[in-house]
Structures are given as C-alpha cells and as structure tokens.
Amino acid sequence: MSTVAFETVFPLCHSKLSLYRLKHIPLRPFFITCSSNLHDASFIFGQPQRTLSPVHAATLTDTPVLHSLQCPDNTNTFEIDQIQMVEGKIFVKLDHGKGLRDRELRVSCNLPGKWILHWGVTYDGDVGREWDQPPHDMIPFGSVHIKDYAIETPLMKSSLSAEGDTLHEVRIDLKANNGISAVNFVLKDQEAGVWYKKGRRDFKVSLINDLKTDTNIIGPTRGFDLWPGNFGQLSKMFLKSEVDQDDSSESQDDSSDSRVSEQENNKPEGFYEELPITKMVMVTNSISVSTKKYFESGAVKDLLYFETDLPGDIVIHWGVCRNDSRRWEVPPPPYPPGTVSFKDRALRTQLRPRDGLKGSSALITLEEEFSGFVFVLKQNENTWFKYMGNDFYIPLASSSCLLDIGNKEDQSEGVQRKVISQENSFFPFTDIIPNEIKNLVTDNSSGKSQKTKSKIAPRNIFQEIERLATEAYNIFRSSIPTFSKATTAKPEATIVEPETTTVEPETSIMEPQETTIVVSEASVESEALSLDSKICSGTGTGYEILCQGFNWESHKSGRWYMELKEIAPELASLGFTVVWLPPPTESVSPEGYMPKDLYNLNSRYGNIDELKDLVKTFHEVGIKTLGDAVLNHRCAHYQNQNGVWNIFGGSLNWDDRAIVADDPYFQGRGNRSSGDNFHAAPNIDHSQEFVRKDLKEWLCWLRKEIGYDGWRLDFVRGFWGGYVKDYIEASEPYFCVGEYWDSLSYTYGETDHNQDAHRQRIIDWINDANGTSGAFDVTTKGILHSVLERCEYWRLSDEEGKPPGVVGWWPSRAVTFIENHDTGSTQGHWRFPSGKEMQGYAYILTHPGTPSVFYDHIFSQYKNEIASLISVRRRNKIHCRSTLQISKAKRDVYAAIIDEKVAMKIGPGHFEPPNGSHEWSLAVEGKYYKIWEAS
C-alpha cells in the first residue's frame, strides 16, 4: 500500500450528490474589446477560447458560470448561472368530477422541470398488492403503461399559481362505483432523474374514509423525502377538509337517500393539501457595473453604479489600481455608507436593497487619477464570485477622451482583444486573510476530513493515471507484457462517491487543501505505463477487439472446436484480435459451467487434441485465445457419509476442506466465503493454500499445454479479487476479464439514472485484483437497455459528463458488451432490445474500453455492419484509453467525438459533427446511427 498526496481544490457539495456543486471555481477565459472613445467606454466580452458542446456546457452548470454580455455604452454586465435550492409546492386536490358522483384528483407542482406522475390504484379488498393499473377510462391522454401495475402520466403546463408561478398539472377522473379505494403515486423529475416520495414510501390518496391508517396516506404526517439523496425534506403538510355536511339537509333526505350504498357514504367529498418541496434548479443572476465621467468642482471624477439581482446579503470587496499591474489600493474618501477598511488594502461595502426591485446596489465615486476598478463579490458569508480565479477588473478611461468624442467608427478600428489567462490566482490580499476565516477553515477540515480522507476524490486519481498512461503510449511500444511485484495485502476500494465535503467555500477558492488518498500501489503503477507495455499481466495492449466464440447451444454439435477452426480466418479478416472460447473441462452440465475434473479436457465441444489444434489455428491467423476458467465452484465426484456431494476425485482429489463453510448445501469445512455463493455447486474456498496452489498449477498447465493466451473468469462475485491477482501473477496471461454481474439499481421497475453504486462494485473488484484484470462493463449494458427501450439517450452522460458505466471511470479495465451466452442466445436472461443491436455496437465499437462482440450477432444480418464498425475502430487506432468528448446527450440523440478522429451518433435525433479544423466524411450509416471520420 502507498499513500499518495494530491493538492486539489474541492467544491462544496450539497448532501451526497456531487452533481450539485455550489462552489464558485475559477471560470472560463474571455476576450475584452475596449473602445478608445472613453465617452463611449463600452466593453464587448467575447467567447471562450474553445467552443463547448451542449453536453459539455451542461456539465459546467453545477458551478456558477460567469459570462459577459455585449452591453451598450459604459455598462459591463456579467451573467451568473448557478445551481440553487429553490422551494415550491406539490398540490394534491380531490374535488367533484364531471358526473354527479364522479370525482377528480389533481396533482400539480409549481417548480420548473419535466414532471412525471408514476401512479397506480388499490382496489377494494386487494390483499398483498397495493399497485394495480387503473381502468382504461381513468387513464389521462399521453400516459404510458409500466408493465401491469402502474401508469406514467406527464404533468402538463396549466395555469399560474397564486404566487404567479407556472403550474404543471395532471388530472385523473375517478368514476363512480369503480371499486378503487386508493390512488398511489410518486412524482418524478425526469430531467434530474429524481423521485419525490413520502419518507421513502409511496403516496397514497385515500378514496374511502375508513382506509386503514398508514404513514404514507396523504395527511399531516412526515414530509417528503427526495430519493435518492437527502434533499427535499418537507416541513409541514396542511390539510383543508372540504367535507361539510349539513345536518338540517340530512334530516330532510327522502327515503331514496337510504338506498345510497354504504360505499358511497364512505367516500370523502374532497380535500386539498399543499406539500412543500425543494429542488436544485439552474438560476441565472447578473452583476452590472456602469461607469460614467462627470465634472465636480472643476475636477473629473468617475461614478460607478454597481447592481446585482443576487439574493441575500451581498458584500463587494473593492479597490482601485493605477496601472496594468492591477495592484490593489484603497482610494481616498468619500465611500458609500457602511464601507469599512480591510487591512488597509481593500474596502468592504455592504450593498443595499434596491427600491421596489430584487437585488441590491451601491454607488461609488472615484477620483480620476486611477486607471481601473477591481473587485470580488461575497454572498451570504460563504460564497465568493471571481472571474477565472482572478479579480474582476473594470478599466477607467482618462479624461482626454472627454475632449475628443470623434467618430465611433473610426475609433473602433483601434480595438484590441485581450485574453485573460486561466491561472488560479488568488485575491491580491490573500496573505492577509483574517485569522477568523483561517480558523474556520482549519476547524472545519479537521472535524470532517477524517471521515472522507480515503473517499473524497479517488476517482480523480484514476482519471489522472489514465491521462498519464495515454501520454506514455507513444513512448513504450512493445507487444510483450512485463510483470511487476504486487502487494499482497488486500487493497482498499478506492473509487467511491464522496459522502460529505470537508472544505469551507472560501477555502476552495483561496486555499487549496492537501488530501491523502490510499490506493493500491500496484494499481497505480499498472496505470502509469503505456498501452502496449503494461506493468502487470492480464491487461493486453489496449487495442483488443474481443469475439465471444460460442453461444448457449454450441455444445450440441459435439464438434464445436472444429467448426470454429473453419471460420478462424474469417474472424481474423473481420478484425477480431482475441477470441473467448467456451469452458474446456469435463462438466456436469453440457455447457461447461459445472466443472468436475479440471484436468479432463474432453468436453461436449470436442476433445483436448481438437482444442489444441483450434488454438494453434487462431494463433496462425493472428488471434489470441481466452479460456473460460470456472474457479468459483466445482462439482464433486462422491458423497460423504451424510449423502452430500462434497468429495472430489480426478487429478485434484480435494475433500470438504476445499468448500466454504457458509455454503448451506454442501457441508464444507473451509473458511467462510469471501464473496457470494453460487448455490448449484460447491463453492471453493480460495483462502486454503492447497486450493490456490492447485489452481495456479492448473492455469499454468493450460497456458503451456493448450496454448491459451488468457482467461475469461466466470462468476467472480463468488471470491475476493485478491485471489485473482494471485492466479494472474502465477499464470501470466496476456489478457484477462472477469464476469462481475449483479443487479443494477431500479425504482418501480425503471432503471435509475445514477448507477454509480453498481459500477463502483465492479471497480472495487478490479481494484481488489490490483488492476491485473478487466471486467465486463455490465453497467453500460444495463444503461443501454434503458436508453434504447425508452428513447432516453440523455442517460449516456453521467453527472460529470462522462460515460455512465465502468468505461467512464476506468476505461482501460472496462470490457464493454451488449450480449453474451447468458443474456442472449436461447437463455435470454437479459436480452438486448430487439432490432436495436447495431446502435449498441455503434456505441461500444467507437468508444474507449475493450469491446466484445457476441457470436450470434457476428453471423447474422448484422455481420457487414459490425465489420464496418470494427474497420473504423482499427483504421483510426481507437483504443481502451481513447479520449472522448460527449457532444450531445438529449432524449432522442447521443453523439460523441473520439480522439478527434471519429464522430458518432445514435438515436433518431439530429447531429452533425462541427466543422472546424477537421472535415468529416460519413463512414458507416445504419438505422438510427452514423459514424464519421475526420479527413
């Protein structure tokens, strides 16, 4: 293990969602154009040095972005885009409907967003199931059925609320005698992928008075929870009952009223509730500084009017300078009311509220002797506004221009463009920061940083390592892998989502903190070298294109090895560099995944000689081979005295000590499992020295006897990745990939937008293996399912503007795929959306990571299209660490540029690569996908 110190500036995060960074970090560069006519002292603020794509720009919206506008005359205006928590309400109202006994349920919200009502009903007498789909005549237009239990209905813009806000509303007709006792719902903000619930439970609107009391029934109970996360706590819930019964009228009811059913009498006539809610939204504010020359007592002076619509208490820290050095000085009085000196280097002025308007302002008068006005802004004692880490600077014109206004067009010819450098400079008076601020920062850091020392930003480590590895690529060009000594201690999981922040806002601008992060030494080393010369075995060159060379039915022919041998040249011509072969051992199941005698290689796919011949043939055509090694479990040959199958035979005649003790079916006498149990066969205890020794010898024998170049490791969830590291170091494979497959995160049957926890578990396993093996990117496959099934291409960009799977965090260890023998073929456990396979391949075959193509897709109608995509990848030398710029991630289209050589898009929406330094030509095109190459 080693300790690596990184000096970083961490933004203040709100709660656990790193998406909502509220700290103002150094911002983008801009150009200034200044007219030489000081009477017309206008400053035209240009664009950044580089153009940001829409999605890239979107990823910057989690920090306030200050950009200047072209303003007339001598007014300089800056816009501030920042994420803020805003308060709103959800309104739930049950009222009379169109029919005499019909009712209408309204659910509305006054916050901006793309709101979806996810709802279902509970029928009278239902037992064990709260959600069902409502009757057809109850479903509003535009709704979508979710399996057999729910409906999703978009909220539409309707009227204005009492506060003047736009309402988003849905109305549900409740017919009389429909047998429904309650309506259940949750509210989803589709843009943010966030669910609003009640204390982590669904909301239930009771339609009968005696519904059994429950904490999630609409009423004065607990407030909303925002799920996932801890935002959106609602304070109070107000109930306005509209059940007003007139005793006198009841006494005059005729006999016909007595025939009204008990159910009708049991229905509430109506109610109304306002549910407070909070949400993170983008808010645009502005800062405006107007300057004007004027005469007073025979002297020329500068009058500055400063105003902003930023909410809260605003303090301007300001000063003046005499030349281009921009050294702060304190000007002579007069000062605005309430101004105080700050260490004789600057002035602090509290802005005053503007009469009848939002925001605050100040009026500042300066002597004419100064050439510039400098300032920074502070909001509510915890937020600083600067420009690119520099102070705001407003040039002040000299009085000579008052005498020669001249022609504006002539003067504009002398305009100069000035680029502000993007350095992280601090306040000019940083060295005299008040002690109370320093103490606050010190106390805060010491109190909180201990909890997150190893968690705050380890993902940045691997991103930096990936960058270094890419830079080193052209230096090291060797196809022979080398090996290193790896640590034997179990490394900690290092890439985790930060839970809390440890730095005060001012610190993140003014005082970068040193953060200590513990990572596996060997993992860092292995990432620091080039693609072709990896420091550890098992990671290939980075240019691998993997073919799964079988499906679930391949064993049935009895001669699969010979069939593969016949098509080996064709696979090579298609561009594949590695083929994954089926499990070779004797097995209880014909597919090979219930191995028995590991040294018996006569299987349903063929015999040992045919396997050797197949591997030799693949080597002759330039393709390396992976053996499918099932190490997690093994089927026994004999029963013990209790009739349990836990005694092994063959060359590895283990007894029940080789089986984990917590496998409930096989009475093992080993230690407890280091992973999840596979209950169909005895789970092997890899902590036993004799087991590891035998397995290492077996893998080395396969390498030598058969000629395998590497491994596909089955069910690696079942044992600790540190054992994999041991096996890889012993067998020295060229390439290795583990199958770490568990369930993604779902809410009400829908894939969650944020799958960080899922890919984190895969990352943890790779790190446990010390980076010596890659893993199948199950996260990416699952997200592609939702993208293509629901036309939600925005899911392909995570909260940081990166790919949302393992490929977005550790691309050199991500083996991307869309289908395999388990998910597709005749098993179909998790089949890729039918007819949309080529969009999936257009994604993985153009992106970083190591792509894997399923046998069934290669020899199908997609064969030529897959070959074309592989050709583009190889022709442009796209590799596992290629650079990726996501250009667009909207509902109906996703687009990206890879290595500035290849542009791609999937989805029915429009995208064309931007014209600039490259000219793009269309290389491959299919249904809802296009690939371009730079010429």
Side-chain angles (χ1 to χ4, degrees):
M1 306 291 285
S2 63
T3 301
V4 184
F6 287 84
E7 183 176 272
T8 57
V9 180
F10 291 108
L12 174 66
C13 296
H14 189 288
S15 186
K16 296 183 179 180
L17 296 182
S18 61
L19 171 65
Y20 303 116
R21 298 176 182 163
L22 306 181
K23 188 58 242 155
H24 303 273
I25 62 174
L27 300 171
R28 298 177 288 172
F30 62 93
F31 300 114
I32 298 179
T33 302
C34 180
S35 172
S36 59
N37 179 1
L38 293 206
H39 185 71
D40 182 39
S42 61
F43 308 99
I44 302 173
F45 294 78
Q47 296 299 317
Q49 288 175 294
R50 59 190 178 88
T51 301
L52 299 179
S53 66
V55 174
H56 191 169
T59 66
L60 297 178
T61 59
D62 57 358
T63 59
V65 177
L66 280 70
H67 51 91
S68 35
L69 302 175
Q70 180 173 341
C71 301
D73 299 330
N74 52 353
T75 299
N76 310 281
T77 303
F78 306 90
E79 280 191 348
I80 307 166
D81 297 333
Q82 59 178 326
I83 295 291
Q84 289 184 358
M85 184 77 76
V86 296
E87 296 181 355
K89 293 179 180 179
I90 293 177
F91 308 93
V92 180
K93 185 176 182 179
L94 183 65
D95 206 348
H96 295 290
K98 299 177 181 178
L100 181 62
R101 294 179 180 176
D102 294 344
R103 288 170 295 172
E104 180 184 71
L105 177 65
R106 298 186 188 182
V107 179
S108 53
C109 180
N110 65 351
L111 287 180
K114 190 172 183 179
W115 297 100
I116 301 291
L117 190 73
H118 186 97
W119 63 284
V121 300
T122 301
Y123 288 98
D124 295 337
D126 268 2
V127 177
R129 178 164 179 171
E130 289 189 320
W131 284 62
D132 274 299
Q133 284 197 352
H136 180 74
D137 59 359
M138 185 175 168
I139 302 175
F141 177 77
S143 300
V144 175
H145 292 259
I146 305 299
K147 296 186 178 179
D148 62 345
Y149 62 87
I151 296 292
E152 283 195 351
T153 304
L155 275 65
M156 309 300 292
K157 290 184 179 179
S158 58
S159 58
L160 296 178
S161 66
E163 293 79 10
D165 300 320
T166 300
L167 280 179
H168 297 77
E169 185 176 71
V170 64
R171 301 187 181 192
I172 300 174
D173 292 328
L174 304 173
K175 301 297 183 181
N177 300 319
N178 55 14
I180 296 174
S181 60
V183 175
N184 311 288
F185 75 89
V186 292
L187 197 62
K188 179 184 177 183
D189 180 3
Q190 192 164 6
E191 291 179 345
V194 176
W195 297 82
Y196 291 84
K197 305 177 65 179
K198 183 181 181 186
R200 297 183 182 269
R201 298 198 60 188
D202 314 327
F203 281 93
K204 177 175 288 189
V205 178
S206 175
L207 302 181
I208 58 177
N209 287 326
D210 61 353
L211 190 66
K212 185 177 179 181
T213 302
D214 197 351
T215 56
N216 62 330
I217 295 176
I218 294 288
T221 58
R222 295 178 301 168
F224 266 109
D225 271 344
L226 175 61
W227 177 256
N230 290 325
F231 299 128
Q233 294 296 328
L234 297 175
S235 54
K236 296 181 180 179
M237 300 173 68
F238 303 94
L239 176 64
K240 179 182 178 182
S241 174
E242 296 184 2
V243 183
D244 296 320
Q245 296 183 354
D246 188 353
D247 292 338
S248 61
S249 62
E250 288 182 2
S251 64
Q252 298 174 6
D253 286 344
D254 56 27
S255 59
S256 63
D257 292 328
S258 63
R259 294 192 297 269
V260 176
S261 68
E262 181 181 349
Q263 180 185 12
E264 290 299 317
N265 284 329
N266 196 30
K267 292 182 179 180
E269 291 186 8
F271 60 77
Y272 172 77
E273 289 196 16
E274 296 180 0
L275 310 171
I277 187 175
T278 56
K279 178 188 174 183
M280 306 296 291
V281 299
M282 174 65 69
V283 176
T284 299
N285 298 108
S286 64
I287 301 171
S288 178
V289 183
S290 300
T291 62
K292 182 178 182 179
K293 291 285 184 184
Y294 75 101
F295 287 98
E296 183 180 277
S297 302
V300 179
K301 296 186 178 182
D302 288 291
L303 183 67
L304 288 85
Y305 179 66
F306 188 100
E307 64 179 354
T308 179
D309 59 355
L310 283 166
D313 295 328
I314 307 297
V315 174
I316 179 174
H317 287 231
W318 61 281
V320 293
C321 53
R322 297 180 182 274
N323 49 48
D324 290 338
S325 67
R326 300 187 185 179
R327 181 179 178 83
W328 284 54
E329 295 183 22
V330 175
Y335 305 140
T339 300
V340 297
S341 176
F342 181 77
K343 300 294 183 178
D344 297 325
R345 296 284 300 279
L347 298 170
R348 287 178 171 178
T349 300
Q350 175 81 45
L351 272 61
R352 298 196 168 188
R354 295 190 291 176
D355 293 338
L357 298 173
K358 294 182 179 180
S360 51
S361 64
L363 190 64
I364 300 174
T365 302
L366 299 175
E367 300 294 334
E368 199 247 345
E369 58 185 298
F370 303 108
S371 63
F373 175 75
V374 286
F375 70 93
V376 293
L377 209 62
K378 186 178 182 181
Q379 180 186 31
N380 297 333
E381 297 297 326
N382 61 4
T383 302
W384 290 91
F385 293 90
K386 301 183 69 181
Y387 203 98
M388 289 184 55
N390 296 301
D391 316 316
F392 288 99
Y393 174 72
I394 304 297
L396 301 174
S398 64
S399 60
S400 60
C401 287
L402 291 175
L403 304 177
D404 182 18
I405 297 177
N407 186 290
K408 293 182 181 180
E409 295 180 358
D410 295 338
Q411 292 163 1
S412 64
E413 295 176 0
V415 165
Q416 295 181 352
R417 307 187 80 190
K418 183 177 180 182
V419 180
I420 306 298
S421 67
Q422 198 170 356
E423 296 177 357
N424 291 339
S425 63
F426 304 117
F427 289 0
F429 43 86
T430 301
D431 55 336
I432 52 172
I433 298 173
N435 289 332
E436 62 266 25
I437 296 179
K438 289 185 175 179
N439 293 336
L440 177 63
V441 172
T442 302
D443 293 342
N444 185 67
S445 298
S446 62
K448 297 179 180 178
S449 62
Q450 297 301 320
K451 298 179 181 179
T452 59
K453 179 179 292 185
S454 65
K455 297 182 179 181
I456 188 73
R459 191 183 313 158
N460 293 337
I461 298 174
F462 289 100
Q463 292 170 357
E464 178 64 14
I465 289 169
E466 292 284 352
R467 184 188 66 79
L468 294 173
T470 302
E471 289 181 356
Y473 163 64
N474 290 321
I475 300 175
F476 301 90
R477 289 296 301 236
S478 172
S479 60
I480 303 176
T482 58
F483 311 98
S484 69
K485 295 181 179 179
T487 57
T488 57
K490 180 178 179 180
E492 298 177 12
T494 61
I495 301 184
V496 294
E497 191 75 1
E499 294 184 357
T500 58
T501 54
T502 61
V503 184
E504 282 292 314
E506 290 158 304
T507 305
S508 66
I509 288 182
M510 302 165 63
E511 296 183 6
Q513 300 294 298
E514 183 177 272
T515 304
T516 301
I517 297 156
V518 179
V519 299
S520 163
E521 184 176 32
S523 292
V524 173
E525 287 183 351
S526 65
E527 284 298 295
L529 289 188
S530 71
L531 292 170
D532 283 348
S533 183
K534 304 289 183 65
I535 199 168
C536 62
S537 185
T539 53
T541 67
Y543 289 92
E544 286 71 30
I545 301 175
L546 178 62
C547 161
Q548 180 177 1
F550 62 100
N551 60 29
W552 193 247
E553 304 297 324
S554 296
H555 66 278
K556 291 185 175 180
S557 70
R559 57 183 304 274
W560 187 249
Y561 293 152
M562 304 310 296
E563 293 178 22
L564 275 183
K565 178 182 176 180
E566 295 172 2
I567 63 172
E570 184 176 5
L571 291 176
S573 68
L574 291 173
F576 292 103
T577 63
V578 181
V579 62
W580 157 24
L581 301 179
T585 60
E586 175 197 14
S587 170
V588 172
S589 64
E591 297 82 13
Y593 288 101
M594 299 284 281
K596 195 172 181 182
D597 183 357
L598 298 185
Y599 280 91
N600 183 351
L601 301 189
N602 295 318
S603 71
R604 298 291 183 90
Y605 299 101
N607 59 42
I608 184 172
D609 293 329
E610 292 171 340
L611 176 57
K612 288 181 181 180
D613 191 31
L614 173 63
V615 170
K616 180 177 180 237
T617 300
F618 274 122
H619 287 169
E620 289 173 350
V621 298
I623 295 180
K624 297 186 182 296
T625 60
L626 304 183
D628 201 327
V630 184
L631 303 180
N632 174 76
H633 50 272
R634 181 187 171 196
C635 293
H637 291 70
Y638 312 106
Q639 295 171 294
N640 68 0
Q641 59 186 1
N642 299 323
V644 176
W645 293 87
N646 62 6
I647 306 299
F648 302 94
S651 302
L652 302 179
N653 54 349
W654 302 333
D655 59 17
D656 52 7
R657 292 175 301 153
I659 302 174
V660 297
D662 52 343
D663 189 325
Y665 302 108
F666 298 100
Q667 298 181 4
R669 290 192 296 122
N671 298 312
R672 293 182 62 83
S673 176
S674 58
D676 298 330
N677 283 329
F678 177 81
H679 296 298
N683 289 263
I684 300 305
D685 180 11
H686 294 264
S687 70
Q688 302 283 1
E689 178 65 29
F690 74 90
V691 168
R692 293 200 307 278
K693 176 178 177 295
D694 286 348
L695 289 178
K696 285 187 284 188
E697 289 178 355
W698 176 64
L699 291 171
C700 291
W701 176 78
L702 288 175
R703 287 271 280 135
K704 181 179 179 181
E705 185 70 19
I706 306 302
Y708 283 132
D709 300 287
W711 316 115
R712 180 265 184 185
L713 300 178
D714 183 67
F715 198 77
V716 296
R717 278 176 50 198
F719 54 103
W720 174 46
Y723 300 132
V724 171
K725 167 182 165 289
D726 200 16
Y727 299 142
I728 288 178
E729 289 178 342
S731 60
E732 300 183 350
Y734 161 84
F735 190 84
C736 183
V737 54
E739 179 209 28
Y740 194 101
W741 181 8
D742 67 351
S743 179
L744 276 71
S745 300
Y746 295 89
T747 303
Y748 300 108
E750 180 182 344
T751 311
D752 292 343
H753 177 214
N754 187 317
Q755 294 293 338
D756 286 355
H758 185 268
R759 60 175 167 175
Q760 181 63 60
R761 293 191 292 273
I762 301 175
I763 291 286
D764 289 344
W765 179 85
I766 299 172
N767 191 52
D768 285 343
N770 230 46
T772 57
S773 173
F776 286 111
D777 193 348
V778 181
T779 317
T780 290
K781 173 178 167 63
I783 292 171
L784 282 171
H785 277 237
S786 294
V787 165
L788 299 174
E789 287 170 348
R790 303 176 63 86
C791 192
E792 294 177 343
Y793 292 83
W794 52 267
R795 290 179 178 269
L796 290 173
S797 178
D798 69 8
E799 295 168 354
E800 296 180 346
K802 298 179 180 296
V806 177
V807 71
W809 281 1
W810 205 346
S812 67
R813 301 300 186 270
V815 177
T816 53
F817 73 108
I818 69 168
E819 205 81 289
N820 63 30
H821 63 289
D822 284 320
T823 65
S825 191
T826 56
Q827 283 207 99
H829 287 325
W830 193 27
R831 200 179 300 280
F832 201 76
S834 178
K836 301 178 181 179
E837 290 86 355
M838 284 312 304
Q839 290 189 66
Y841 282 122
Y843 182 86
I844 69 172
L845 286 170
T846 59
H847 276 50
T850 300
S852 175
V853 183
F854 184 40
Y855 180 88
D856 289 8
H857 293 160
I858 298 170
F859 296 97
S860 71
Q861 71 271 27
Y862 303 132
K863 179 179 179 180
N864 292 335
E865 292 179 86
I866 291 173
S868 297
L869 291 174
I870 293 175
S871 178
V872 170
R873 184 179 185 89
R874 298 192 66 178
R875 187 163 57 245
N876 291 277
K877 298 181 179 179
I878 297 174
H879 52 79
C880 68
R881 290 193 185 93
S882 286
T883 60
L884 175 72
Q885 177 189 353
I886 297 177
S887 301
K888 206 169 187 179
K890 302 295 184 182
R891 180 171 179 84
D892 61 349
V893 65
Y894 166 87
I897 296 176
I898 302 90
D899 283 344
E900 298 185 359
K901 298 177 182 178
V902 173
M904 61 82 65
K905 80 98 176 179
I906 57 175
H910 176 74
F911 171 80
E912 294 286 338
N915 293 322
S917 58
H918 299 297
E919 291 186 5
W920 299 94
S921 59
L922 186 62
V924 185
E925 181 178 8
K927 185 177 180 180
Y928 293 149
Y929 76 90
K930 288 184 179 181
I931 313 294
W932 296 266
E933 292 179 279
S935 56

